[in-house]
Amino acid sequence: MSSDLIVFLVLSLVAIATALGMLFSKNAVYSALFLVLNFVTVAIFYLLLGAPFIAMAQITVYAGAIMVLFLFVIMLLGAESLAPANSLPWQKPLAILLSIILAVEATYLLFNRAGTGMAVVAPDASVNTMESLREMALALFNQFLLPFEVTSILLLVAMMGAIVLTRQEKGAAQ
Amino acid sequence: MWVEWIVKGFILCLILLTGFAYLTLYERRALARIQVRVGPNRAGPQGLLQPIADAVKLIFKEELTPGKVYKVVFLLAPVLTVVPSLIIAAVIPLGTSFELFGREITLYVADINVGVLYLMSIASIAVYGIVLAGWSSNNKYAMLGGIRSSAQMISYELALGLSFVTAIILGNSMSLVDIVNGQKQLWYVVVQPVGALIFWIATLAEVNRAPFDMPEAEQELTAGYHAEYSGMKFALFFMAEYQKMIVICMILATLYLGGYLGPFVDKFPLLGPVYLFLKVIVLLFGMIWVRATWPRIRYDRLMAFGWKIMLPLALAIAFITATGILLADTFENPLYFWSIPVLSLISLFVAIAFIYRDLRRKSHGRV
């Protein structure tokens, strides 16, 4: 058993445990914290695969920026422990059904591919150098410039929408 | 190999811990000097044993855990604040390398090719300790302090990130060792003085130092996020703040002030840490000076300054730097290269003019 495999097994246990912790903890702040741990674990998976750039980006963007905003909102609203309001009774069975379908599908694909030698293998080290990062950036800003710009405009519109929706109209404040 | 890493990591932690202890003394003495006082000078010669006395006092202080706190998070928050401030220093090069017992020992813990990104990601993680301390204290003042600090740190992280980008563009690498080596001819502060200034202001806000020490504004929030902490747990917050000060001065020196470079450093590599140390001392004095002489900025102005001045200015700086480098490379004309500092300084003056106009307009009547 190589040391990578041991690290991988431990990390996957941590990842699953934190994901479950996020789902089942009663307090929203604890859920958010479990999610942060989960993101950090995923970042270490990327490091294991030899992709330091994506690992650091994962920590900066998800654990560092997005989850801080989540926590910020949870604390600002004081929504740490909302009463369990079961407003949608059909939601739970549907969620269970869908997740079973997803799990079966994933398992099927995994075992199906494993036989044919198309199983998930770590890319060789040459893919993950800074040189390939340069290649990726060049492709992103030349070949895929239009999708990139469209995505950024989409994000901008979402941001502006949030501002417009929360703005108090003049005279209507009272 | 791994023994070397452990020893180096241990030494780095030790440097930061002693650095923290003596930085408190340095700050108190310098503050006292500026305010025409003497400062702590009783324990040992020139007060040199004062940090040790402080440490002993803090260890023996009673440690209270208030009844209605969220206990696990309350205990975890000081640790979460200290750890990032210690591990962030791992990628900062203290020097080149020297020979010891026939093997080459490098003067940095790790030279990873995404060093700058590592700094960014650890800096973004550092918010959690403060936010969680504020929340878990179950105290309105502490909570407000925590929320304020998270808003402030998120806001200034953008300008900070962009000034990192400027240094990356100038150094053409994300590895801090490469960035330092790129400054052999010229420190980047000469090319991009405004970038260094933005970095400095943004990091003052990131570590909650005066004049941006909103999260602990005494007259509004008692002590902000650490109001409920006492004894060693309080000391950990204190420690994190001062270690962060040291580390950001090291980063600023590395990115813009040539890091460990100095005269004769090629022949005597052990001079490297000495030069870095001297640069850090000077930068730290700047921070203490600001604290001693500037009043705390108002919270709405702090946010307005971060979003309306710092972010556009940092964007302009990054754009000017990238364009200047590109044009200088394409046309092989150094004139374009020297347009970078000129244009940056012009945009800085424009920004200052905006601040001035805004302040003048506000002092007449409307808020």
Side-chain angles (χ1 to χ4, degrees):
Chain A
M1 222 201 242
S2 68
S3 63
D4 269 12
L5 192 61
I6 298 171
V7 174
F8 174 78
L9 287 177
V10 173
L11 273 180
S12 20
L13 275 182
V14 174
I16 292 168
T18 49
L20 290 177
M22 185 206 77
L23 283 176
F24 293 115
S25 61
K26 289 267 180 290
N27 193 321
V29 172
Y30 289 143
S31 287
L33 289 179
F34 275 122
L35 194 55
V36 173
L37 261 184
N38 194 297
F39 284 149
V40 174
T41 332
V42 173
I44 302 174
F45 277 134
Y46 289 137
L47 273 185
L48 262 187
L49 290 171
F53 180 81
I54 298 177
M56 290 302 149
Q58 161 91 4
I59 292 184
T60 316
V61 174
Y62 288 100
I66 292 179
M67 285 318 292
V68 172
L69 279 178
F70 262 64
L71 264 183
F72 188 75
V73 171
I74 292 171
M75 287 177 183
L76 216 56
L77 295 179
E80 292 102 324
S81 43
L82 289 179
N86 215 349
S87 54
L88 298 172
W90 45 266
Q91 206 178 26
K92 218 172 205 175
L94 186 68
I96 292 172
L97 185 73
L98 286 177
S99 41
I100 287 174
I101 291 176
L102 181 70
V104 168
E105 206 174 7
T107 325
Y108 173 74
L109 273 178
L110 198 68
F111 281 99
N112 206 16
R113 287 273 178 94
T116 59
M118 282 171 67
V120 188
V121 284
D124 56 308
S126 66
V127 182
N128 289 316
T129 55
M130 285 315 264
E131 207 44 56
S132 77
L133 200 63
R134 213 167 292 240
E135 292 293 316
M136 191 185 83
L138 280 177
L140 190 65
F141 287 110
N142 288 317
Q143 203 178 339
F144 301 105
L145 185 63
L146 187 67
F148 182 79
E149 291 296 331
V150 170
T151 318
S152 59
I153 287 174
L154 211 62
L155 285 172
L156 186 69
V157 169
M159 215 152 66
M160 275 157 51
I163 293 171
V164 169
L165 284 176
T166 53
R167 202 182 52 152
Q168 285 188 341
E169 277 172 37
K170 273 192 187 132
Q174 279 83 32
Chain B
M1 194 60 197
W2 56 272
V3 179
E4 190 188 323
W5 280 344
I6 290 174
V7 169
K8 279 199 285 199
F10 189 70
I11 291 175
L12 192 68
C13 286
L14 218 60
I15 292 174
L16 282 175
L17 289 174
T18 15
F20 144 69
Y22 278 91
L23 177 57
T24 58
L25 180 69
Y26 178 44
E27 176 172 43
R28 288 171 70 183
R29 293 285 291 191
L31 274 181
R33 193 89 197 116
I34 292 169
Q35 296 164 349
V36 206
R37 294 184 285 119
V38 182
N41 66 344
R42 293 290 128 178
Q46 291 296 312
L48 276 178
L49 296 179
Q50 183 71 35
I52 297 166
D54 279 343
V56 171
K57 181 196 80 174
L58 280 168
I59 288 168
F60 285 107
K61 258 185 149 177
E62 185 185 2
E63 218 170 305
L64 287 171
T65 305
K68 296 207 168 163
V69 299
Y70 297 89
K71 212 153 187 186
V72 180
V73 182
F74 187 76
L75 293 178
L76 215 60
V79 182
L80 280 179
T81 319
V82 169
V83 169
S85 71
L86 279 175
I87 59 174
I88 197 169
V91 292
I92 302 172
L94 303 177
T96 45
S97 59
F98 65 96
E99 294 261 326
L100 189 71
F101 306 124
R103 59 177 296 174
E104 196 186 13
I105 298 205
T106 50
L107 280 166
Y108 39 81
V109 178
D111 173 24
I112 53 178
N113 53 8
V114 288
V116 178
L117 258 185
Y118 173 84
L119 295 180
M120 276 299 291
S121 59
I122 303 293
S124 64
I125 289 287
V127 192
Y128 282 110
I130 290 173
V131 179
L132 290 177
W135 172 75
S136 66
S137 296
N138 210 354
N139 168 333
K140 283 203 174 62
Y141 289 123
M143 172 87 168
L144 280 173
I147 285 179
R148 269 188 180 187
S149 75
S150 62
Q152 173 181 336
M153 285 162 107
I154 293 171
S155 307
Y156 280 78
E157 221 162 65
L158 298 166
L160 183 69
L162 283 166
S163 57
F164 272 126
V165 168
T166 313
I168 295 173
I169 295 171
L170 287 169
N172 200 14
S173 167
M174 279 205 208
S175 151
L176 286 166
V177 176
D178 289 348
I179 288 180
V180 172
N181 285 332
Q183 300 181 64
K184 278 205 170 120
Q185 263 90 46
L186 195 65
W187 290 359
Y188 291 156
V189 71
V190 183
V191 188
Q192 193 44 277
V194 187
L197 184 71
I198 289 176
F199 184 91
W200 196 61
I201 298 176
T203 45
L204 276 182
E206 283 286 306
V207 299
N208 303 321
R209 284 285 299 180
F212 304 118
D213 51 351
M214 274 301 137
E216 35 199 311
E218 296 90 353
Q219 61 273 65
E220 303 160 28
L221 296 177
T222 61
Y225 60 90
H226 56 59
E228 298 288 354
Y229 284 89
S230 53
M232 267 324 267
K233 288 211 250 1
F234 167 72
L236 284 181
F237 282 115
F238 201 57
M239 189 167 159
E241 181 179 335
Y242 282 83
Q243 277 166 0
K244 279 183 204 160
M245 278 170 72
I246 300 175
V247 168
I248 62 173
C249 286
M250 281 162 84
I251 297 172
L252 178 55
T254 306
L255 289 182
Y256 285 102
L257 296 170
Y260 53 79
L261 295 175
F264 306 117
V265 84
D266 290 336
K267 288 193 194 96
F268 308 102
L270 281 178
L271 273 178
V274 178
Y275 285 126
L276 188 64
F277 179 72
L278 290 177
K279 284 170 189 170
V280 167
I281 292 278
V282 173
L283 288 172
L284 281 173
F285 181 74
M287 294 183 108
I288 294 166
W289 196 2
V290 166
R291 176 175 171 186
T293 46
W294 280 19
R296 191 175 285 140
I297 185 172
R298 218 171 61 195
Y299 192 67
D300 59 330
R301 285 191 179 159
L302 170 95
M303 289 315 246
F305 181 62
W307 286 103
K308 293 182 187 163
I309 304 289
M310 292 282 283
L311 181 61
L313 186 61
L315 271 172
I317 295 302
F319 177 72
I320 289 169
T321 313
T323 320
I325 296 271
L326 188 69
L327 289 179
D329 280 355
T330 319
F331 299 110
E332 289 177 5
N333 188 346
L335 201 66
Y336 287 112
F337 187 71
W338 288 111
S339 73
I340 299 174
V342 176
L343 285 175
S344 313
L345 284 173
I346 290 174
S347 42
L348 175 69
F349 287 126
V350 171
I352 292 174
F354 268 112
I355 300 175
Y356 184 70
R357 203 197 58 169
D358 221 35
L359 284 179
R360 250 177 55 143
R361 203 177 54 198
K362 276 190 177 144
S363 61
H364 287 291
R366 306 185 299 132
V367 188

